[in-house]
Amino acid sequence: VQLQASGGGLVQAGGSLRLSCAASGRTFVGVVMGWFRQAPGKEREFVSAISWSGKNTRYSDSTKGRFTISRDNAKNAVYLQMNSLKPEDTAVYYCAAGDRLSPEDIGYDYWGQGTLVTVSS
């Protein structure tokens, strides 16, 4: 599976961004998709994940209520709508594909290249 994340950029605190991740290379059926992020000098952390059907989602405590994950299986795509952004959301955001709705990165076998989100105060 090849994953291509896009949609990052510079935004002011309180603003919004929508990240996209396009998957290709194999069947998308049954694949769990997740978003992780890594801020400068910090470890990579879980952001959100969504099941194949879209019925089950999971969020980190820091993003719950502000971020929304969704997917379009017809387009082999997953999205992350980020609202009420804060400076501490600044990070490189990675999409990942795996077989379990897990907040642990070991649950994901495929990773995209990342897209940078910068939130200014």
Side-chain angles (χ1 to χ4, degrees):
V1 177
Q2 288 80 48
L3 303 174
Q4 181 74 36
S6 62
L10 174 64
V11 63
Q12 290 187 331
S16 298
L17 278 177
R18 187 190 192 216
L19 304 184
S20 299
C21 177
S24 63
R26 56 154 279 184
T27 178
F28 206 47
V29 175
V31 175
V32 169
M33 296 298 297
W35 287 97
F36 288 75
R37 68 186 181 186
Q38 187 167 20
K42 295 187 177 181
E43 294 186 354
R44 185 166 57 191
E45 66 173 0
F46 172 74
V47 174
S48 184
I50 187 167
S51 64
W52 157 250
S53 68
K55 293 181 180 179
N56 297 301
T57 58
R58 193 165 183 172
Y59 296 91
S60 67
D61 289 342
S62 63
T63 62
K64 196 176 301 181
R66 300 188 298 123
F67 291 9
T68 302
I69 192 170
S70 61
R71 66 190 295 165
D72 184 340
N73 291 334
K75 296 182 179 180
N76 283 357
V78 63
Y79 309 98
L80 186 68
Q81 177 66 44
M82 306 186 295
N83 299 328
S84 302
L85 283 162
K86 305 175 181 179
E88 51 263 44
D89 294 317
T90 295
V92 176
Y93 283 71
Y94 299 90
C95 60
D99 60 2
R100 68 191 78 173
L101 198 69
S102 171
E104 304 295 331
D105 55 9
I106 61 173
Y108 298 84
D109 301 311
Y110 304 95
W111 294 82
Q113 86 291 355
T115 186
L116 176 63
V117 172
T118 303
V119 184
S120 63
S121 57

